[in-house]
Amino acid sequence: MKKARRPGSSAPRVVGYIRVSTAEQAVSGLGLDAQRATIEGECTRRGWELVRLLQDAGVSGAAIAKRPGLDGALDLLGRGDADVLMASRLDRVSRSVLDFHTLLARAQREDWRMALLDCGLDTTSPQGEAMVGVSAVFSQLERRLISQRTTAALAVKKA
């Protein structure tokens, strides 16, 4: 059951999610700071209420599992304490088409939305939902290309 908004407020309640993949990025904080600023700026621009900003620092986007920040965001959304999951980029949320489509199904089932700012997509419309799915395919492709390049570089170094 959705929690009611504060009286007089019709602004969507946003839980922001930020993530960086490596420990180096987590220590520098630069990637996290940039994502945070993007989400805060977009909420201000749209007049939306940022209720929480959660992060996973030094965590791969290859799978949705074992990501406490994302788990916390999904719990808030599922309880009705927020209406929208916002991330600066699709690949901050997922680099797996299957995981992402599972997340989309959960959003529909639990009645919350996603706003992914890099692709300007919002799942409030059927067109936006379709475009988010297409973008997920390219995010997964990028993850696989990164893996191939890393494997090739390690093979050269080993040789």
Side-chain angles (χ1 to χ4, degrees):
M1 183 167 170
K2 283 279 192 194
K3 281 193 177 182
R5 290 189 178 98
R6 280 181 269 165
S9 174
S10 62
R13 298 163 300 161
V14 174
V15 59
Y17 176 69
I18 60 178
R19 180 188 65 78
V20 292
S21 300
T22 68
E24 284 178 352
Q25 292 169 318
V27 170
S28 78
L30 296 176
L32 294 171
D33 291 344
Q35 291 175 58
R36 182 178 295 109
T38 298
I39 290 169
E40 289 171 348
E42 189 64 16
C43 285
T44 299
R45 186 185 74 74
R46 293 186 187 196
W48 290 5
E49 177 187 2
L50 181 60
V51 294
R52 290 282 301 273
L53 192 114
L54 298 167
Q55 73 179 34
D56 285 312
V59 178
S60 171
I64 288 181
K66 297 182 183 174
R67 290 167 57 187
L70 184 58
D71 289 343
L74 296 175
D75 286 345
L76 287 169
L77 291 156
R79 287 195 314 262
D81 293 335
D83 308 302
V84 178
L85 174 65
M86 183 180 285
S88 63
R89 295 175 32 162
L90 167 65
D91 67 0
R92 300 301 82 198
V93 175
S94 179
R95 287 185 178 258
S96 161
V97 172
L98 179 59
D99 282 349
F100 190 73
H101 283 289
T102 300
L103 199 56
L104 278 176
R106 181 173 178 177
Q108 286 180 329
R109 186 175 61 252
E110 295 177 358
D111 193 28
W112 50 269
R113 300 171 294 169
M114 281 188 271
L116 307 167
L117 305 179
D118 64 329
C119 28
L121 299 174
D122 188 326
T123 61
T124 59
S125 72
Q127 297 88 346
E129 199 170 58
M131 290 306 296
V132 168
V134 169
S135 296
V137 170
F138 287 99
S139 183
Q140 178 174 294
L141 172 64
E142 179 61 20
R143 178 176 60 95
R144 289 183 176 165
L145 292 173
I146 289 168
S147 177
Q148 279 183 338
R149 289 190 298 265
T150 301
T151 301
L154 291 173
V156 167
K157 187 175 183 178
K158 189 175 182 178

